[in-house]
Amino acid sequence: MAKLHAYLNFEGNCEEAFTFYETVFDTKNIGIHRFGDMPANPEFVIPDEAKDKVMHMALLINENTMLMGSDTFGDCGGNASQGSNTYLMLDTATADEAHKLYEKLTVNAQKIEMPLAEQFWAELYTSFTDQFGINWMIHFEGNKAQ
């Protein structure tokens, strides 16, 4: 069964927040990726002022729980406002589980931000808002595990 993690979005202070959360949970982040680290994509150009912002970082709180986060800007997540800055992230064990959860959770979805597809960091990833206004991410790392 999928593991459930919290995903938080920030308006430019993700790294500062996670430095604080490291002290709260007495743990170190398990990696930080910045928007400038992304492979070049002519369909999604990262503005220079956003290249140093956090694309993804995570704290392993225990063997089953992670706190993850990123900065938002412009077309990349919009503005992180209270109420829309939190996601429930399902970390699946198989591609089949990711597909099944996606099919069920996106029934009458309000918004599909990214359809379930391969990304450079995961075999499968999606983000969307379900019919009740809850933000979800589904992730299957698969052969992209580091």
Side-chain angles (χ1 to χ4, degrees):
M1 178 50 88
K3 294 179 182 177
L4 181 64
H5 305 298
Y7 206 100
L8 310 174
N9 287 328
F10 299 87
E11 289 204 31
N13 61 341
C14 180
E15 190 169 7
E16 176 186 355
F18 271 70
T19 298
F20 170 74
Y21 296 143
E22 286 177 5
T23 66
V24 171
F25 296 107
D26 195 27
T27 187
K28 294 288 183 193
N29 78 68
I30 58 174
I32 183 168
H33 302 281
R34 300 192 184 277
F35 283 101
D37 299 332
M38 292 177 63
N41 179 347
E43 294 179 23
F44 185 73
V45 177
I46 304 295
D48 287 339
E49 63 273 10
K51 289 184 177 178
D52 205 34
K53 290 187 179 211
V54 174
M55 182 189 83
H56 176 78
M57 68 185 305
L59 298 176
L60 188 61
I61 295 177
N62 63 42
E63 65 184 48
N64 294 309
T65 306
M66 281 195 288
L67 181 64
M68 297 176 281
S70 66
D71 287 317
T72 62
F73 64 90
D75 291 336
C76 189
N79 295 321
S81 59
Q82 287 186 340
S84 66
N85 60 343
T86 304
Y87 285 75
L88 296 175
M89 199 277 252
L90 296 168
D91 193 12
T92 63
T94 67
D96 187 52
E97 182 181 25
H99 283 287
K100 285 179 182 176
L101 287 168
Y102 180 74
E103 289 171 19
K104 291 178 180 181
L105 278 170
T106 57
V107 170
N108 299 321
Q110 291 180 13
K111 180 180 179 184
I112 306 286
E113 295 169 330
M114 292 180 73
L116 186 65
E118 184 174 357
Q119 303 298 329
F120 72 90
W121 67 87
E123 269 190 53
L124 293 170
Y125 173 82
T126 181
S127 60
F128 56 90
T129 305
D130 74 13
Q131 63 183 315
F132 302 104
I134 304 300
N135 297 315
W136 293 91
M137 295 175 176
I138 299 173
H139 172 264
F140 172 62
E141 198 167 27
N143 65 16
K144 307 272 180 121
Q146 294 183 14

